[in-house]
Amino acid sequence: MKSRVRLAPIVVSILTLLCSRASVAQGQPATATENVKTLPKLGVVNDRFQSYNIEMVEVTGGRFWKPYASTQSLNNQTNDAAHGNQPAGLSANLFEYRPPIDLNNPTLRKLAAALGPAYLRVSGTWANSTYFDPDGTAGEKPPAGFQGVLTGTEWRGVLDFAKAVNADLVTSFAVSAGTRDKDGLWTPVEANKIASFTTSAGGHISAAELINEPTFPEIDGLGKSYDATAFARDVHAFREFAKHNLPGMLVVGPGGVGEGATLMPGNATIPGPRMLSTADLLKATGPAFDAFSYHSYGAVSVRCNPGKSTNINDSLSTDTFSKAEQIARYYMALRDQYDPGKPMWNTETAEAACGGDSWASEFADTFRYLKQLGDLARIGVRVNMHNTLSSSDYGLLDENTYEPRPDYWAALLWHRLMGSTVLDAGSSQGENLYLYAHCMPQVPGGVTVLAINADGHSTPRLKTGLDYNLYTLSAGSLDSKQVMLNGHTLSLNAANDLPRMEGSRFKAGTVDLNPQTITFLAFPEANNASCR
């Protein structure tokens, strides 16, 4: 049976101004341990901390993760190029053809711009084998050694979109057989085509990984003999290329995935992949990156792992919630050992790999989404890029209508209320209550506290010492695709404009956090010295 959420009255949740610790005992006031005015600074995240991906296959058109609600069968799909443009070794039934995304769509631009400034990462497994055709002369069939084609018009669309939505572009480059010489060495011919085109079009690539997820070389089309030595050779060739052709671009890596936590119950794995360890990649490269990147998925979706993935009843479990920090700390230890001092970037992440589970588009995932942002900011990860903006089940937006999903509304509130300075909110006394604090953006001295009550029964009470603005997200059930803010359903208007999303003003006092609700408490008059 699916869990139900008690609807929160407008007076519902608020967090602690005076306190960063809270009791989960029903109706029991929290003990104030620290005034919000003096919450100490923990660190600073990038001002583009909350960012997102648009997969390369979305830009070119091709076969991406098939939505669970799709009615298309394998036999009636069109333009699938005989199932060629998809990761190696996986069933064609997992994928569905999409035409190229319309990056000129005014609604898509409007909703993306509301999250700016951000990083826009255009990459993914498909980027490893995409041929760049600036003049549009290659046709739909890629040359030998490639699986997809990116036209100049499509890439110009990416550059224009990034500029329009206040996003700095992050990408990766082709590394498949078509980019290599007779000895199998990577050559920068394809990368240089994109670099030259981008510069001439007035665009800018802020950062790039050479390879998307080199820890799985066969899925990525690198072949059975590809190893850490080959990776190191490629990375150093890429650094030389970047120094001469894209000066100022950050070289980010290694971009590993699949380590630090068991992705699936029972230690199951995606069928067939050979895995290279990130430790071995770093031993081979030595210090080589301007920022240390990794990818983070706490599970593999039921799409790729039938019968062994998690389910919605596990979506708010402490095990699910712990995965993002567990994975980050694993890669941080490798960073500290092999590339110390480099900023940590999580360049691809979502509820589950392989397009996400069905509840990735539901209210249930909003708890994980915001807790991950809070946890990673607290431990020092500088950038977190959600996969994707608008494709498959883990997209922030519905890919057909661009209707915001619950995670998008959470992302928008985070963007508006949680600034780049991270404060120490302490720890809660209840295992299902999670507290985070940041300086408010563009409000000198202001503090926002985020309180996530993932418990289905208890109602923690939090004490505040200052007046505050309350923003509580709730839904009728965890599997709802709609979310309410202070009791009112969030939706676009007839012109596809965002609602005002104003908080409710309250005097200092105590507030109850209803079961399975998420509350932002904004204290613009906190006058915290770390926030001035």
Side-chain angles (χ1 to χ4, degrees):
M1 177 182 264
K2 294 181 178 174
S3 302
R4 311 297 292 186
V5 173
R6 299 182 193 173
L7 300 184
I10 282 187
V11 223
V12 62
S13 253
I14 187 164
L15 189 175
T16 205
L17 179 193
L18 285 175
C19 118
S20 60
R21 298 180 68 86
S23 168
V24 294
Q26 197 86 5
Q28 178 181 338
T31 301
T33 60
E34 193 167 16
N35 194 306
V36 78
K37 294 180 179 180
T38 57
L39 291 179
K41 179 179 176 179
L42 279 180
V44 177
V45 295
N46 194 294
D47 62 356
R48 299 172 189 269
F49 170 69
Q50 181 181 242
S51 294
Y52 52 84
N53 283 248
I54 293 177
E55 292 267 348
M56 182 66 79
V57 70
E58 295 179 71
V59 176
T60 63
R63 296 175 55 73
F64 194 54
W65 304 110
K66 183 178 180 179
Y68 296 106
S70 174
T71 58
Q72 288 195 24
S73 67
L74 183 64
N75 294 328
N76 67 17
Q77 294 186 41
T78 58
N79 299 321
D80 58 12
H83 322 313
N85 190 15
Q86 65 181 51
L90 297 178
S91 168
N93 292 295
L94 302 176
F95 304 95
E96 180 174 290
Y97 177 81
R98 275 90 155 172
I101 188 172
D102 179 10
L103 294 176
N104 289 313
N105 182 279
T107 299
L108 180 64
R109 288 193 168 203
K110 189 183 304 182
L111 297 179
L115 299 178
Y119 285 112
L120 161 61
R121 179 176 177 265
V122 178
S123 178
T125 302
W126 289 258
N128 290 335
S129 56
T130 295
Y131 174 79
F132 185 53
D133 181 22
D135 301 319
T137 57
E140 293 186 6
K141 186 174 181 180
F146 298 93
Q147 290 190 331
V149 176
L150 170 69
T151 68
T153 299
E154 289 165 345
W155 189 245
R156 189 183 298 275
V158 169
L159 301 177
D160 291 345
F161 180 83
K163 183 177 181 180
V165 303
N166 191 12
D168 278 359
L169 181 61
V170 178
T171 192
S172 64
F173 294 93
V175 291
S176 57
T179 68
R180 299 182 179 275
D181 65 18
K182 60 182 179 61
D183 297 317
L185 303 179
W186 180 80
T187 67
V189 174
E190 284 299 301
N192 193 45
K193 285 160 57 179
I194 290 183
S196 299
F197 185 95
T198 300
T199 301
S200 65
H204 175 67
I205 300 174
S206 294
E209 297 160 311
L210 171 59
I211 303 173
N212 178 79
E213 298 178 356
T215 46
F216 288 105
E218 289 170 50
I219 288 178
D220 289 335
L222 292 166
K224 294 184 177 181
S225 63
Y226 195 84
D227 59 13
T229 300
F231 176 74
R233 187 173 57 232
D234 287 350
V235 166
H236 290 297
F238 179 58
R239 285 200 67 91
E240 278 299 303
F241 154 77
K243 181 171 68 175
H244 296 292
N245 295 275
L246 290 168
M249 182 188 78
L250 298 177
V251 175
V252 181
V257 71
E259 301 160 287
T262 301
L263 286 183
M264 294 159 285
N267 294 311
T269 58
I270 303 174
R274 177 175 64 94
M275 189 172 185
L276 303 178
S277 75
T278 295
D280 286 344
L281 298 181
L282 293 168
K283 289 175 189 175
T285 62
F289 304 107
D290 301 312
F292 186 105
S293 68
Y294 72 101
H295 295 179
S296 177
Y297 291 99
V300 172
S301 73
V302 69
R303 183 185 284 105
C304 288
N305 195 41
K308 296 178 181 177
S309 188
T310 54
N311 60 60
I312 195 170
N313 295 320
D314 302 319
S315 62
L316 271 60
S317 70
T318 54
D319 180 61
T320 296
F321 280 170
S322 69
K323 290 292 178 64
E325 182 172 344
Q326 183 180 342
I327 293 167
R329 289 192 181 279
Y330 175 88
Y331 285 112
M332 277 183 168
L334 293 178
R335 184 273 313 267
D336 293 344
Q337 182 176 359
Y338 296 105
D339 221 343
K342 298 302 169 64
M344 291 288 295
W345 286 24
N346 181 10
T347 51
E348 186 180 309
T349 186
E351 178 270 328
C354 294
D357 288 303
S358 60
W359 61 89
S361 62
E362 299 169 355
F363 182 57
D365 191 52
T366 307
F367 294 81
R368 178 213 58 84
Y369 180 87
L370 287 172
K371 187 175 186 301
Q372 177 168 329
L373 292 177
D375 285 341
L376 297 193
R378 180 176 53 81
I379 66 174
V381 175
R382 301 288 184 84
V383 176
N384 186 81
M385 301 182 185
H386 178 80
N387 205 30
T388 62
L389 177 63
S390 63
S391 192
S392 200
D393 295 274
Y394 51 22
L396 297 176
L397 308 171
D398 182 277
E399 65 186 66
N400 296 310
T401 65
Y402 298 134
E403 184 69 27
R405 289 169 168 167
D407 278 356
Y408 177 85
W409 297 115
L412 191 57
L413 281 176
W414 177 283
H415 173 71
R416 293 181 177 182
L417 298 172
M418 305 287 275
S420 58
T421 299
V422 186
L423 303 174
D424 186 357
S427 59
S428 68
Q429 295 174 1
E431 71 173 20
N432 294 318
L433 176 65
Y434 308 94
L435 306 178
Y436 306 93
H438 285 224
C439 295
M440 292 181 68
Q442 301 177 341
V443 181
V447 172
T448 300
V449 182
L450 167 62
I452 300 172
N453 181 16
D455 196 273
H457 305 286
S458 68
T459 304
R461 176 169 291 175
L462 299 172
K463 185 176 181 180
T464 68
L466 293 176
D467 297 348
Y468 57 89
N469 298 319
L470 174 72
Y471 304 79
T472 293
L473 295 174
S474 64
S477 63
L478 288 178
D479 61 357
S480 174
K481 292 184 180 294
Q482 292 187 315
V483 64
M484 291 179 286
L485 175 63
N486 293 344
H488 300 284
T489 300
L490 290 169
S491 62
L492 304 178
N493 66 17
N496 286 328
D497 292 324
L498 289 164
R500 293 175 66 92
M501 296 182 70
E502 295 180 339
S504 298
R505 186 71 172 170
F506 289 95
K507 295 291 185 181
T510 58
V511 294
D512 294 335
L513 303 174
N514 280 14
Q516 292 177 340
T517 57
I518 297 165
T519 297
F520 294 85
L521 299 131
F523 300 94
E525 293 87 24
N527 199 27
N528 186 301
S530 296
C531 301
R532 294 199 294 268

